[in-house]
Amino acid sequence: MPPVAVQLHSLLFKLLLRRRLSSLSAPAPAPAAPFGVSSRPADQRPSPPSNPSFSPASPDGVATKDLHPDPLSSLHLRLFLPNPNHHAAAPVPRPLRRNSFPQRDPAPGQDQLSRRASASFHAVGVSPAPAPATRDYGGYLPSAGAARSAARRKLPVIVQFHGGAFVTGAADSAANDAFCRRVARLCDAIVVAVGYRLAPESRYPAAFEDGVAVLRWIAKQANLAACGRTMMGKGTGADSFGAAMVEPWFAAHADPSRCVLLGVSCGANIADYVARKAVEAGKLLDPVRVVAQVLMYPFFMGSAPTRSELKLANSYFYDKSSCLLAWKLFLPEGEFSLDHPAANPLVPGRGPPLKLMPPTLTVVAELDWMKDRAIAYSEELRKVNVDAPVLEYKDAVHEFATLDVLLKTPQAQACAEDIAIWIKKYISLRGHELSY
């Protein structure tokens, strides 16, 4: 059983959530355009502003930047970039001359050569990584030299979808910002937090299509960056091929061939849908390759109740009645069904065969009424030889690792570390040296 403070906060949370869902259920005129909304300021604490620099204002060494890739919708992205120079290799000490005292330090820029060798090629053609460049906006902007030197250590990309029952939450909320910073730091990866369109202004499949659109945007960025480098190599100039459209952080540091999807609560449903679409697309998304996905307490439901649904229907934070109301707001009017492909992962005809799905880590909480269906989905993946472990946390509640009031608990920190250990199996360039 969770602490008393958590139980009290759960009561207040459910009261506010039900009030919000009831207000959204009130009849309202249909929106004039599919632009939608990707955040509700009334639901969240003030969002922390983006900080696109590695300054004392970001003591965790993670810079952030907000992007709006689609001018025709409210789709919003927040990028989290760990300091690319933070894990730079330490300088190799100069070898000493045999039977002599240590040598004096050479002048700046002078090659350090061993007396036993007539020449050394250890540092030939490699210039020291320059300090991060800044421009008028005061943010980190990789210089050309930094981009070339950083090519030896590209960072994987983690696409994260926040929770909130499809109707609340935001990519730049205080809780999601802190969680993504933690993931970026632990995994040493670029995290792309997706602010998808919310219901009921934008019902299914708007949020799911936004997730696929983000993968296409990442592929486009990688292809533009590659074409720009080719043009520069030919002396044509990068500006002749849409350089203004290239996101510099991605061009310098992203490796889209190591892409991981991470979904929280209802965001897990989006992540699973995007993974299926990535499998169907195949090489059409090159160079993006989804190597794994993480489903954190998925928002799965179904018409046939499971044991946990019967026993824990009135559990903490998200009870079953509130979730049913959220699904009614999210699914198209007249198409409400708990066996809708967006809600039930076990209904037939949802997409490609399960054996083609990427490795899937499922995180569940002991006191979450939705856990049994998530575990059943993981079991189906394992039956077709997909790496699909399940991590269940004792006395944990739904969103125990991502809610603002629980983010600093030891259990939330341990969960993030466990996820990072599993993800590194598939994003490490040295092979699967990390495993459970």
Side-chain angles (χ1 to χ4, degrees), residues 5-15 315-318:
V6 175
Q7 297 181 44
L8 293 176
H9 189 86
S10 172
L11 292 175
L12 179 61
F13 182 91
K14 289 197 289 187
L15 177 64
S315 58
Y316 304 96
F317 292 98
Y318 290 89

Side-chain angles (χ1 to χ4, degrees), residues 335-378:
E335 297 184 19
F336 174 74
S337 171
L338 294 182
D339 287 329
H340 191 282
N344 192 343
L346 302 177
V347 295
R350 290 186 76 234
L354 290 180
K355 64 181 180 180
L356 301 179
M357 292 293 288
T360 302
L361 172 66
T362 303
V363 177
V364 296
E366 182 185 19
L367 303 179
D368 183 7
W369 64 270
M370 291 178 274
K371 68 175 183 177
D372 280 359
R373 205 172 303 275
I375 294 174
Y377 180 50
S378 182

Side-chain angles (χ1 to χ4, degrees), residues 271 284-285:
L284 295 178
L285 283 175

Side-chain angles (χ1 to χ4, degrees), residues 41-67:
D43 296 337
Q44 306 289 344
R45 296 178 181 178
S47 299
S50 61
N51 179 24
S53 62
F54 304 108
S55 63
S58 57
D60 53 4
V62 177
T64 58
K65 179 192 295 186
D66 291 328
L67 299 174

Side-chain angles (χ1 to χ4, degrees), residues 1-2 6 264-265 295-299 306-309 311-312 315-318 362-375 390-403 406 411-412 415 419:
M1 182 175 294
V6 175
V264 176
S265 188
L295 308 181
M296 300 181 66
Y297 19 82
F299 206 62
T306 63
R307 182 179 180 182
S308 63
E309 291 179 10
K311 183 179 179 181
L312 302 169
S315 58
Y316 304 96
F317 292 98
Y318 290 89
T362 303
V363 177
V364 296
E366 182 185 19
L367 303 179
D368 183 7
W369 64 270
M370 291 178 274
K371 68 175 183 177
D372 280 359
R373 205 172 303 275
I375 294 174
V390 175
L391 296 180
E392 182 172 355
Y393 292 82
K394 185 176 177 59
D395 292 332
V397 299
H398 191 81
E399 288 216 47
F400 71 93
T402 46
L403 279 177
L406 302 175
Q411 198 171 40
C415 178
I419 290 173

